[in-house]
Amino acid sequence: MLRDSPRPLAVALSGGGDSLALTLIADAWARAAGRPLIVLSMDHGLQPQSRAWLDACAATAARLGRPFRALAWAGEKPASGVPAAARAARHRLLAEAGRAMGARVILMGHTADDAAEAQAMRAAGGVTPDPREWAPSPAWPAGRGVFLLRPLMGVRRAGLRDWLTTRGETWIDDPANDDLRYARARARRAAPTPARPRAEPPLVLAAQATEAAGVIRLARAALVDADPAEARRFVAVAAVCAGGGARPPARGRAQRAAEMLRDAGPVVTTLAGARIEADAEQVRIFREPGEARRGGLAPVAADGEAIVWDGRFDVEAKGHETRRLAGLIGRLPADQRAALARLPPAARGALPAWIGEDGSVSCPALTGEAASLVGERLRAAAGLVVSEPA
């Protein structure tokens, strides 16, 4: 992390032993480094004590003299899959709050025990992701530009509690951690051997790729020559980024797409909301325009604020409804039509468009009034951003 930066760091405090220890450590580091620190706490509304836990977190922040923001998972909760839904809501709300307060790094208190429990849950058939030490926020688009840092991944939970006890600190024990209806509690009861999760290496193919107006391009020879596992990872990550969604494709589908691209011959296929096409020279990955038939690429009304359109473009607030360009290309100014001609024909209709009061049409992705998030997201997801951006 950067020292002497005016940008604040955020720390996620639940009140449990791990996050309390992290908050105290982060507070000491931030004071020495000259960094502002903000404390974010989440009320999931799943336990009757949750309000009291939130108050305890606020008291900790006040004791440290740090700004505090309380977050709440409002609305109806799902009947099943509560832990996964709570995790998604937590990441979304933390990212939104961090961005609003100027933070781009959120500290989280996962330990070596959490990594071991995640591995045990996957071995039992679950899909819990590995908590990586440094990773982009999994919330999209709320987490754009936000990274998670878990500095305690090499530390045991028991050691942190011993350290807290010597300082006279007390912490919250969530009864859900002992509720064997949940996979996490069962994995914790089994006491798996702690191990740091295996870090995936950065995707070299992503470093070789280029992106403009939401279109990712890669020399086909680079993909053909790559390790098959690297090719599969790149295709999966690039498809999610170009498609603007958040759900990774099934491993088997990504594997098949990568194999097609590594073979000879032209390719046209779809994956995770993206269209993948290739000739002998180049692979191109961009938004699948056919998604419009299935409810994607929906128009977004202007509300006076900048928006993220279709998970791909950060669009300036101009008072226009943002919609897809399909059917409007002929009404673009000549300079924009010339710029559009440099993009694959199938990619053009999925770009954003504005219609003026006089009926004129403009494509903000071609004028600079809509910044593509695709390339930046690809670099982050591929592990090419290895430290806090300046």
Side-chain angles (χ1 to χ4, degrees):
M1 293 184 294
L2 300 174
R3 301 179 69 88
D4 299 316
S5 169
R7 186 183 294 281
L9 297 169
V11 59
L13 173 63
S14 69
D18 302 342
S19 68
L20 176 59
L22 174 62
T23 300
L24 298 176
I25 294 168
D27 174 69
W29 184 90
R31 292 182 192 281
R35 290 290 300 268
L37 180 73
I38 57 179
V39 179
L40 306 176
S41 293
M42 177 87 178
D43 181 359
H44 293 90
L46 299 174
Q47 298 287 350
Q49 312 98 310
S50 63
R51 182 69 225 188
W53 295 345
L54 201 63
D55 292 341
C57 293
T60 296
R63 170 162 60 102
L64 298 175
R66 298 297 187 179
F68 177 77
R69 175 73 62 87
L71 312 174
W73 184 23
E76 210 170 310
K77 307 301 187 291
S80 61
V82 172
R87 182 170 61 249
R90 179 167 60 251
H91 280 302
R92 174 178 58 82
L93 291 168
L94 287 171
E96 289 174 346
R99 284 180 58 84
M101 300 180 78
R104 291 297 179 267
V105 175
I106 299 175
L107 307 174
M108 304 192 77
H110 295 89
T111 66
D113 296 271
D114 290 294
E117 289 160 10
Q119 291 169 4
M121 291 162 69
R122 286 198 304 280
V127 293
T128 302
D130 259 333
R132 290 188 285 160
E133 186 170 326
W134 172 259
S137 167
W140 189 263
R144 62 196 185 280
V146 176
F147 290 82
L148 308 181
L149 176 61
R150 301 176 172 98
L152 303 179
M153 289 298 297
V155 181
R156 294 295 305 274
R157 185 177 292 136
L160 289 175
R161 281 155 175 70
D162 289 344
W163 181 76
L164 289 170
T165 299
T166 64
R167 295 171 58 95
E169 299 283 350
T170 58
W171 58 89
I172 295 163
D173 284 314
D174 187 342
N177 292 331
D178 297 316
D179 189 338
L180 298 182
R181 291 177 298 172
Y182 299 120
R184 171 73 66 178
R186 294 194 297 272
R188 186 167 297 189
R189 177 70 62 88
T193 302
R196 292 178 77 98
R198 182 181 63 84
E200 289 186 317
L203 274 169
V204 175
L205 289 175
Q208 298 173 351
T210 62
E211 182 270 336
V215 179
I216 297 170
R217 301 174 189 260
L218 177 70
R220 191 164 187 184
L223 196 144
V224 170
D225 293 340
D227 176 80
E230 162 112 349
R232 176 188 55 76
R233 282 181 58 209
F234 171 78
V235 169
V237 170
V240 172
C241 295
R247 184 187 296 274
R251 184 185 182 93
R253 290 203 63 205
Q255 182 71 41
R256 287 191 292 274
E259 289 171 353
M260 291 169 64
L261 293 168
R262 287 167 58 80
D263 288 339
V267 172
V268 176
T269 189
T270 59
L271 184 70
R275 176 184 172 98
I276 302 172
E277 60 179 41
D279 54 28
E281 301 297 324
Q282 191 179 72
V283 176
R284 296 171 293 278
I285 305 176
F286 50 87
R287 184 70 160 102
E288 166 52 47
E291 282 283 289
R293 294 192 296 272
R294 297 184 289 272
L297 297 165
V300 176
D303 59 3
E305 296 183 1
I307 62 167
V308 174
W309 185 74
D310 193 46
R312 298 179 296 138
F313 292 96
D314 203 342
V315 182
E316 289 185 10
K318 288 287 187 180
H320 298 284
E321 178 184 72
T322 302
R323 61 175 66 184
R324 66 190 181 109
L325 186 59
L328 302 171
I329 292 174
R331 293 161 60 184
L332 286 173
D335 60 333
Q336 293 185 38
R337 290 200 304 273
L340 195 66
R342 294 192 288 269
L343 299 178
R348 299 168 191 172
L351 292 176
W354 287 338
I355 301 179
E357 292 182 359
D358 61 354
S360 62
V361 174
S362 177
C363 176
L366 301 175
T367 64
E369 294 167 293
S372 172
L373 300 172
V374 173
E376 176 186 336
R377 186 184 183 190
L378 175 64
R379 288 184 54 81
L384 299 178
V385 182
V386 298
S387 61
E388 180 183 6

